Amino acid sequence: MSIGPLLALISFLTIIPVNRSYQLDYTARYMFLFPLIGLIIGFIVGSITFLLNNLISNAWIVALIATLLLLIITGMHHTDALADFADGVMAKGSRDDKLKALRDPAVGSAGATAQYST
């Protein structure tokens, strides 16, 4: 196996522009590598956090920077998906109404509450 699938998944799951020519079916075929990408993301954020911890004495500030860095590197995909999921679950009505809420680009009250709660 070449490094191509790994680069495609890094490009898909993060904002790191290593390979812009991925296909969704290609990404689905190599989904089993997602934990490895998570390990790479964790290593990057953890390394930067470790260095910052030696430079900044306030642990709360370091934790805030680490959280923001994680959100920035992942492009906030998980945060957006959580909000969409909460809006879809809490939408009243038929299945189509729930799907409409999932596809709505605006964040509803359930989505905002889910984001604030986590």
Side-chain angles (χ1 to χ4, degrees):
M1 183 171 79
S2 69
I3 197 162
L6 197 61
L7 294 177
L9 292 178
I10 289 172
S11 183
F12 179 72
L13 293 171
T14 69
I15 62 167
I16 302 170
V18 291
N19 182 3
R20 297 253 183 218
S21 62
Y22 61 83
Q23 299 291 330
L24 195 54
D25 60 335
Y26 185 75
T27 302
R29 188 174 342 140
Y30 291 102
M31 194 178 286
F32 66 93
L33 293 175
F34 277 20
L36 183 60
I37 306 305
L39 183 67
I40 292 169
I41 294 169
F43 180 77
I44 292 169
V45 173
S47 298
I48 294 171
T49 303
F50 179 76
L51 293 173
L52 286 174
N53 198 32
N54 292 326
L55 297 173
I56 301 172
S57 61
N58 191 334
W60 288 100
I61 293 174
V62 175
L64 177 66
I65 292 171
T67 303
L68 291 175
L69 185 62
L70 183 61
L71 288 172
I72 290 168
I73 286 177
T74 60
M76 296 191 194
H77 291 151
H78 295 83
T79 309
D80 181 52
L82 174 66
D84 288 342
F85 176 75
D87 284 338
V89 167
M90 296 306 292
K92 303 263 190 258
S94 67
R95 182 177 187 266
D96 290 334
D97 292 334
K98 291 180 180 289
L99 288 173
K100 183 179 174 187
L102 280 171
R103 292 186 182 114
D104 187 3
V107 177
S109 59
T113 302
Q115 286 178 332
Y116 179 74
S117 301
T118 56

